[in-house]
Amino acid sequence: MPPSLSEDGRNVQRQAFAGLLWSKQFYHYAQRDWLAGDPAQPTPPEQRKHGRNSDWSHVYNADVISMPDKWEYLVCRLGSRFHCVAAGAGGSGFR
């Protein structure tokens, strides 16, 4: 935190960083598994194999990410950019 911040400014920044930490979620997406479906569930529809990103069988995500609030989903890409900038201000220990 910049030393020039007032007490109130430090409280606001501390609360903002806490909000970013609170919104972290585990994101798991294995494209190959999603296309094949869960063996314990009904077979997925055939069109799934030809839909968007169906040729991305190499994609396997298992990360903790900063998720925008539910009301931010409409502008999720923009919200995620702001999260990255704000998290960067928190320093390398913020991750």
Side-chain angles (χ1 to χ4, degrees):
M1 285 187 216
S4 60
L5 275 180
S6 67
E7 180 70 25
D8 189 45
R10 285 195 298 275
N11 285 334
V12 169
Q13 190 169 35
R14 201 174 5 262
Q15 290 170 16
F17 286 146
L20 286 172
L21 287 172
W22 183 260
S23 68
K24 285 187 173 188
Q25 294 181 14
F26 178 69
Y27 178 75
H28 182 251
Y29 179 68
Q31 176 69 0
R32 188 174 295 142
D33 295 348
W34 182 81
L35 287 172
D38 186 340
Q41 299 296 318
T43 305
E46 191 62 31
Q47 65 262 31
R48 181 182 287 188
K49 296 178 184 173
H50 309 290
R52 188 183 83 176
N53 304 339
S54 61
D55 58 339
W56 289 17
S57 61
H58 63 284
V59 172
Y60 184 90
N61 295 323
D63 291 302
V64 174
I65 61 173
S66 181
M67 282 298 292
D69 291 327
K70 290 178 183 173
W71 62 270
E72 290 181 299
Y73 281 153
L74 296 175
V75 289
C76 187
R77 283 183 273 173
L78 183 59
S80 295
R81 290 177 188 151
F82 286 127
H83 281 216
C84 290
V85 171
S92 62
F94 185 74
R95 291 183 242 137

